[in-house]
């Protein structure tokens, strides 16, 4: 499953080099030349990962990273810092303020893609193509196939993304607003009861094999996927 990556970079040539390579790797790309634009885009929809240049006009990349880490909604958003400076203390500062990784310019596209993949695997497993299994359910993002025991399960695209997110984040309660952010990528324009509608459809699709029981309603909080 391709990830949505927000690239915050003020140098147009680097921005377009990154864009071309990310798109070629199958990712969806959002571009922001400064921190303010990046904040607006994040406000509308959460990306899966932010590639953030250290030195930006106006608010610096470091300050934006700090801000994202301080807000509940973006606290766990994966961030990779880009910088022209290769000094050890810069790297330490970047990791200290909560960046997940750090890439020094000039970098090869291959290196950048490898770093992105590693960070996504750690922090946003729903944005990778790894097969996930839970309680007898098996979901393969690459082929879009779900099996419940021996039987194949057919799901619509939203239910598929919802199940993928729940399976890659099991045993945790997810509120409706959080699911909208993570699965729909938009917390502003969709009503929270939309989540309930899709959970209902998902359960209906899993009912014949009994796997609907894996999705639990946590009264007053949201939903949890659990194999126990
Ligand atoms: Ca810059």
């Amino acid at each position: 499953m391709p990830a949505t990556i927000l690239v915050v970079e003020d140098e147009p040539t680097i921005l377009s080099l990154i864009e071309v390579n990310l798109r070629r790797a199958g990712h969806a790309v959002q571009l922001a030349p400064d921190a303010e634009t990046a904040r607006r885009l994040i406000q509308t929809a959460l990306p899966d990962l932010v590639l953030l240049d250290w030195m930006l006009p106006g608010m610096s990349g470091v300050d934006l990273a700090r801000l994202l880490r301080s807000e509940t909604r973006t606290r766990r958003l994966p961030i990779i810092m880009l910088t022209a400076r290769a000094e050890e203390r810069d790297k330490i500062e970047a990791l200290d303020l909560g960046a997940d990784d750090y890439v020094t310019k000039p970098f090869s596209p291959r290196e950048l893609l490898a770093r992105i993949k590693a960070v996504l695997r750690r922090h946003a497993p729903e944005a990778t193509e790894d097969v996930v299994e839970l309680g007898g359910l098996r979901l393969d993002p690459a082929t879009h196939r779900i099996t419940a025991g021996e039987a194949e399960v057919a799901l619509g695209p939203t239910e598929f993304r919802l199940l993928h997110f729940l399976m890659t984040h099991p045993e945790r309660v997810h509120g409706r607003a959080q699911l909208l952010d993570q699965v729909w990528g938009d917390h502003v324009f969709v009503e929270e009861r939309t989540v309930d509608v899709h959970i209902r459809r998902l359960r209906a699709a899993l009912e014949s094999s009994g796997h609907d029981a894996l999705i639990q309603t946590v009264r007053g909080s949201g939903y949890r996927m659990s194999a126990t």
Side-chain angles (χ1 to χ4, degrees):
M1 192 168 291
T4 300
I5 298 174
L6 170 61
V7 188
V8 193
E9 165 66 78
D10 60 313
E11 288 156 69
T13 50
I14 297 179
L15 193 63
S16 61
L17 174 75
I18 294 174
E19 182 188 12
V20 165
N21 282 285
L22 291 181
R23 288 200 198 281
R24 199 174 288 154
H27 297 298
V29 186
Q30 293 183 307
L31 304 173
D34 53 55
E36 288 68 27
T37 310
R39 289 187 68 192
R40 270 203 302 280
L41 289 169
I42 291 169
Q43 191 58 37
T44 306
L46 271 186
D48 295 304
L49 183 143
V50 183
L51 273 183
L52 181 54
D53 186 29
W54 187 285
M55 299 293 284
L56 293 167
M59 179 189 273
S60 75
V62 174
D63 288 339
L64 178 60
R66 209 168 270 135
L67 186 72
L68 293 173
R69 283 290 171 264
S70 72
E71 291 175 356
T72 313
R73 185 167 168 261
T74 51
R75 185 161 293 149
R76 290 172 49 219
L77 186 57
I79 299 172
I80 297 178
M81 296 291 301
L82 300 173
T83 178
R85 307 190 296 184
E87 285 151 40
E88 190 63 19
R89 63 186 163 86
D90 292 337
K91 178 173 184 169
I92 290 165
E93 189 183 347
L95 299 176
D96 263 359
L97 64 87
D100 298 285
D101 204 352
Y102 173 102
V103 178
T104 305
K105 298 177 197 171
F107 47 81
S108 74
R110 185 185 288 192
E111 181 196 356
L112 183 64
L113 290 169
R115 300 287 190 101
I116 288 171
K117 199 170 178 183
V119 170
L120 285 175
R121 182 157 287 145
R122 250 181 320 174
H123 296 278
E126 76 283 3
T128 71
E129 304 234 304
D130 295 348
V131 170
V132 274
E133 291 183 80
L134 185 98
L137 270 186
R138 183 178 192 278
L139 183 149
D140 184 346
T143 58
H144 259 245
R145 288 179 78 179
I146 298 158
T147 46
E150 299 292 295
E152 190 146 338
V153 179
L155 290 181
T158 304
E159 285 74 32
F160 185 91
R161 288 201 309 276
L162 185 58
L163 181 63
H164 194 195
F165 180 79
L166 292 172
M167 286 179 76
T168 47
H169 299 79
E171 309 302 334
R172 269 185 267 166
V173 181
H174 306 287
R176 290 169 179 79
Q178 189 196 350
L179 287 170
L180 283 179
D181 246 354
Q182 298 285 350
V183 177
W184 279 256
D186 190 331
H187 75 304
V188 181
F189 306 110
V190 187
E191 287 183 63
E192 292 196 0
R193 65 171 174 227
T194 304
V195 175
D196 302 331
V197 172
H198 288 278
I199 288 278
R200 204 148 54 225
R201 286 186 198 160
L202 181 54
R203 279 179 172 149
L206 298 174
E207 206 175 352
S208 63
S209 62
H211 288 88
D212 56 320
L214 295 176
I215 303 169
Q216 305 166 350
T217 302
V218 182
R219 209 164 289 280
S221 304
Y223 297 99
R224 174 176 54 213
M225 185 121 197
S226 175
T228 53

